[in-house]
Amino acid sequence: MNILILTGAGISAESGIPTFRDANGLWEGHDFEEVATPQGFACNPNLVQRFYNERRRALLDPKIKPNAAHIALAKFEQEFLAKQNSPAEPANQFLLVTQNIDDLHDRAGSQNVLHMHGELLKAQCLDSLECYEWREDLHVDTPHPEDPEDERRRGFLRPNVVWFGEMPIGLDQIADAASQADVFIAIGTSGLVYPAAGIVASTPRECRRIEINLDDTPASSAFHETIRGQATVEVPKVLESLGA
Ligand code: BJW
């Protein structure tokens, strides 16, 4: 059996990380074009670095922890991959695609996680495109980790996140997993941002498609089952019903 999960900001909301488009969401205080496009970064790198510095610091606050939904997914993956009905059957496959740049799935213990919109705790060199683990603030004059003494290499680091107009990460792997999925579950995503919102449409007709969200989304009609409720309550129930 092949299981594909897609998560969005709603799964981390109950861990205390704001969503984008809900009331009090991240976009409420910001024009997204200013902070989530390459053009915005080119125009005002100070503003963009500050926006992500604040979010990085908030993510590293000890109060922020994986919640019951993150933990249920990690536990389910472990049990599901350990289980093999018979040696004649193909091995179970599990992929968790997240649009979230937080590391809560990783902290919960999920193994096969693909961060299609990047990772806040990594910085990318604008020149080499190399990525570095990063837990500090970034500034327009941050020294380059490869050569901290070289003044000419200062300020070459950006948050390793995917902005509007940029290519999301791992699209080939996601397309493969979608085309072979027996079960697809979308959790806490508004279905407004592509190509993530289009994944459901590229799963096979016979794939069981489940959406878990507080509200209806523009993508809801593409799902067979639409479950309305909090991720921390509904995700463990749905996974339990699938059985590892
Ligand atoms: C709960 C809950 C609880 C709350 N329990 N539920 C016109 C048409 C189609 C596409 C385009 C178009 N014009 C432009 C585009 C492309 C563009 C796009 O989609 N724009 C739309 C706005 C229209 N996309 C891109 O540019 C992408 N790249 C691209 O397309 O490249 C070219 C390409 C060509 C061909 C093939 C493939 C690619 C890049 C998109 C990058 C998105 N980046 C961001 C920022 C990342 C860094 C950061 O975090 O700052 O990613 S934007 C932001 O939105 C972030 C999120 O990952 C993403 C999705 O948001 P998400 O997760 O859905 O959050 P919310 O807040 O919207 O929703 C939360 C949901 O949870 C709500 O529904 C709540 O109800 C629910 N909820 N609490 C359960 N407790």
Side-chain angles (χ1 to χ4, degrees):
M1 166 136 39
N2 296 333
I3 298 187
L4 176 61
I5 311 282
L6 173 69
T7 64
I11 197 169
S12 294
E14 293 169 74
S15 289
I17 298 181
T19 59
F20 293 88
R21 296 166 182 85
D22 298 317
N24 300 319
L26 277 168
W27 293 154
E28 211 167 73
H30 290 274
D31 178 348
F32 78 86
E33 285 169 353
E34 282 179 7
V35 292
T37 61
Q39 295 80 3
F41 183 59
C43 273
N44 195 344
N46 268 312
L47 172 77
V48 177
Q49 296 288 25
R50 214 166 41 241
F51 177 68
Y52 286 95
N53 287 343
E54 281 168 17
R55 290 173 61 193
R56 194 181 298 103
R57 274 187 245 140
L59 176 59
L60 292 170
D61 184 315
K63 289 201 286 289
I64 301 291
K65 294 194 174 87
N67 63 44
H70 298 106
I71 291 165
L73 282 165
K75 184 166 172 279
F76 178 86
E77 176 188 10
Q78 192 185 20
E79 291 170 5
F80 175 69
L81 291 179
K83 187 177 167 195
Q84 190 64 41
N85 290 331
S86 97
E89 281 180 27
N92 286 339
Q93 308 271 0
F94 182 95
L95 179 65
L96 197 174
V97 174
T98 186
Q99 297 167 83
N100 300 341
I101 63 172
D102 66 56
D103 64 342
L104 296 183
H105 286 303
D106 311 82
R107 281 197 234 170
S110 287
Q111 296 296 311
N112 295 289
V113 185
L114 196 165
H115 285 269
M116 71 179 294
H117 291 163
E119 294 171 81
L120 186 55
L121 299 182
K122 289 188 179 158
Q124 186 181 41
C125 173
L126 292 165
D127 189 29
S128 67
L129 307 184
E130 194 76 32
C131 285
Y132 303 91
E133 303 288 332
W134 208 268
R135 301 173 81 82
E136 314 298 325
D137 282 0
L138 283 171
H139 300 286
V140 290
D141 59 354
T142 296
H144 200 288
E146 301 287 355
D147 200 353
E149 302 307 318
D150 188 344
E151 295 287 328
R152 290 165 308 176
R153 295 189 79 188
R154 281 175 173 263
F156 270 69
L157 296 180
R158 60 167 275 184
N160 180 40
V161 301
V162 178
W163 289 320
F164 286 110
E166 295 185 320
M167 195 58 87
I169 296 161
L171 292 182
D172 289 346
Q173 193 185 344
I174 295 170
D176 272 0
S179 69
Q180 294 167 39
D182 299 301
V183 178
F184 173 68
I185 312 177
I187 304 163
T189 176
S190 57
L192 289 168
V193 175
Y194 284 81
I199 296 173
V200 61
S202 51
T203 59
R205 283 173 76 87
E206 62 279 12
C207 171
R208 183 176 168 197
R209 302 160 169 182
I210 307 170
E211 181 187 59
I212 302 175
N213 198 301
L214 291 179
D215 300 310
D216 283 347
T217 73
S220 296
S221 61
F223 290 85
H224 303 117
E225 295 157 64
T226 49
I227 296 167
R228 297 289 157 254
Q230 291 179 298
T232 52
V233 176
E234 302 303 332
V235 171
K237 281 202 268 182
V238 167
L239 295 174
E240 177 89 9
S241 77
L242 289 179

